Amino acid sequence: MAFEPEELEMMRKADAGDAEAQFMLGFYYQFGIFDGCPDDSKALKWYRKSAEQGNTKAQERLGDIYLRGDGIKRDFEEAYKWLWRAVQHPDCDDYGYMEYGSCLLYGFGCAKDPDKAFPYLCKAVRSQKDALTLIAECYMNGYGTPKNVKKACECYEKAISEGVVGSWNAYAYWYSEGIGVRKDLAKAFAIHKAGAEAGDVQSLYGLGLCYHKGWGTEINYREAAKWYRKAAEQGFALAQCNLGCLYETGGYGIQKNAKTAAGWFKKAHAQGEGLATCKLALMYITGNGVPKNAELGLNMLFEASSAGVPEATQAISLILEDLGLPHS
């Protein structure tokens, strides 16, 4: 690979221990700037070298990678360690404050301390609009500030107006469950619908769920399938699983189709969606929609049960009971 003169100079400085050059080299590797092929291991190597010398941007970047599991296994303790170091510096940016605040709010890699999270999130929101939903949670629960439902709702409405991903779905959840506000399924449905029409993938799923369960609207499997499919085609595992469930049972305008159901269950199972694993396992055991393979099906059932899927545990108990074997 041929490098530009400025890239060679950056590499030379990084090898010589220049922290800023090391950060930039990590950035180039993370985003594949050299050849279009990201290299996470090399990115981590250079970010770490820079971060250990106190480079704030490298510390933020390391924390972000470990928090999100970008190219590596998630490690909340490592994420918190590096984000804590970053926020000690006056040049920490708003994104670093937001991620550190989220660690404190949810206890990622540290003792949960939502009261302490609030001031960091307030710093972050200057440029990081994603922090609005986290601040809303603080106002709703009185974390680090007096409880204020009106301000919490205003934060969500502003997040929605800014197009913050997931804000419609989270706001609708408050109304569907009556969290801090009067339960109002029609209001939740309207919020999901607005988010879905804006293309928010979580709202696409949420609107499908409303039509599927009849929350705030009449049950309509055709509409449920339409919105689930939009989310499922974007890789949203819960939508893939629920779309499979619609085709598994049929009804309300949807024709039962075991083969189609199995196809969607497979996609969701590949992403670790436990209920889909259970559903697909039962299809393998019975040969419904897939070639019969009882051994594979049983192994998948135990996998789902170990992951805490109650439907899988119940199915195993029923199978053992039918075989006259002890079960707990």
Side-chain angles (χ1 to χ4, degrees):
M1 182 197 311
F3 294 101
E4 298 294 329
E6 60 269 22
E7 294 173 341
L8 292 171
E9 178 64 10
M10 176 177 62
M11 292 176 179
R12 185 193 67 76
K13 286 183 177 180
D15 282 329
D18 184 291
E20 183 63 23
Q22 290 170 341
F23 165 74
M24 288 305 302
L25 190 53
F27 187 86
Y28 271 52
Y29 279 122
Q30 183 183 9
F31 294 100
I33 295 174
F34 287 128
D35 58 3
C37 298
D39 189 324
D40 296 315
S41 63
K42 287 184 179 178
L44 278 174
K45 169 189 169 182
W46 289 106
Y47 280 148
R48 187 176 293 277
K49 284 179 180 290
S50 179
E52 287 171 348
Q53 293 195 69
N55 184 284
T56 309
K57 293 180 294 215
Q59 291 169 345
E60 290 177 20
R61 187 65 61 179
L62 266 184
D64 178 64
I65 289 172
Y66 281 115
L67 186 64
R68 299 178 183 279
D70 289 342
I72 60 167
K73 185 179 180 181
R74 271 183 164 181
D75 188 329
F76 289 143
E77 290 186 3
E78 276 292 296
Y80 176 78
K81 179 180 81 173
W82 290 110
L83 290 168
W84 179 87
R85 292 187 184 185
V87 299
Q88 307 310 307
H89 300 295
D91 62 337
C92 180
D93 67 24
D94 293 342
Y95 189 75
Y97 287 131
M98 182 179 71
E99 295 218 307
Y100 182 66
S102 71
C103 287
L104 294 171
L105 185 61
Y106 299 117
F108 293 153
C110 62
K112 189 175 180 179
D113 193 347
D115 289 337
K116 192 175 176 182
F118 185 70
Y120 288 102
L121 296 172
C122 288
K123 287 182 179 181
V125 80
R126 295 173 298 193
S127 66
Q128 298 298 317
K129 301 309 178 186
D130 285 3
L132 283 165
T133 60
L134 303 177
I135 292 173
E137 189 169 337
C138 291
Y139 276 125
M140 182 60 79
N141 294 286
Y143 295 152
T145 185
K147 182 173 179 176
N148 190 320
V149 174
K150 182 180 178 183
K151 282 190 175 181
C153 292
E154 287 173 353
C155 283
Y156 261 120
E157 286 163 6
K158 187 173 182 182
I160 287 170
S161 71
E162 296 281 353
V164 175
V165 174
S167 56
W168 289 273
N169 192 57
Y171 192 32
Y173 182 72
W174 282 2
Y175 283 99
S176 64
E177 297 296 322
I179 297 173
V181 294
R182 182 177 59 84
K183 186 172 181 177
D184 188 338
L185 293 178
K187 172 84 170 176
F189 173 79
I191 296 169
H192 279 308
K193 193 169 189 295
E197 289 172 348
D200 180 76
V201 68
Q202 292 183 25
S203 295
L204 294 171
Y205 165 74
L207 185 58
L209 193 61
C210 288
Y211 281 118
H212 190 174
K213 303 296 184 182
W215 293 342
T217 187
E218 293 183 359
I219 291 176
N220 187 326
Y221 277 17
R222 284 185 182 275
E223 281 294 302
K226 168 186 167 182
W227 294 104
Y228 279 154
R229 186 180 298 276
K230 288 177 182 288
E233 288 173 347
Q234 294 183 53
F236 200 79
L238 285 171
Q240 293 169 341
C241 180
N242 282 16
L243 190 54
C245 290
L246 287 179
Y247 283 108
E248 180 188 32
T249 58
Y252 293 96
I254 292 291
Q255 187 173 353
K256 188 174 180 178
N257 189 319
K259 187 174 180 181
T260 299
W264 286 112
F265 288 146
K266 285 179 181 178
K267 289 179 182 293
H269 163 66
Q271 296 193 69
E273 172 50 42
L275 180 59
T277 300
C278 174
K279 294 277 190 181
L280 186 58
L282 293 171
M283 297 182 98
Y284 275 118
I285 289 170
T286 60
N288 181 30
V290 293
K292 188 171 182 178
N293 189 330
E295 182 179 357
L296 174 60
L298 283 170
N299 286 337
M300 290 174 68
L301 267 187
F302 280 107
E303 175 190 333
S305 178
S306 298
V309 180
E311 292 87 348
T313 304
Q314 293 165 10
I316 291 169
S317 294
L318 289 173
I319 290 170
L320 293 176
E321 186 176 309
D322 286 344
L323 294 173
L325 298 173
H327 60 90
S328 57

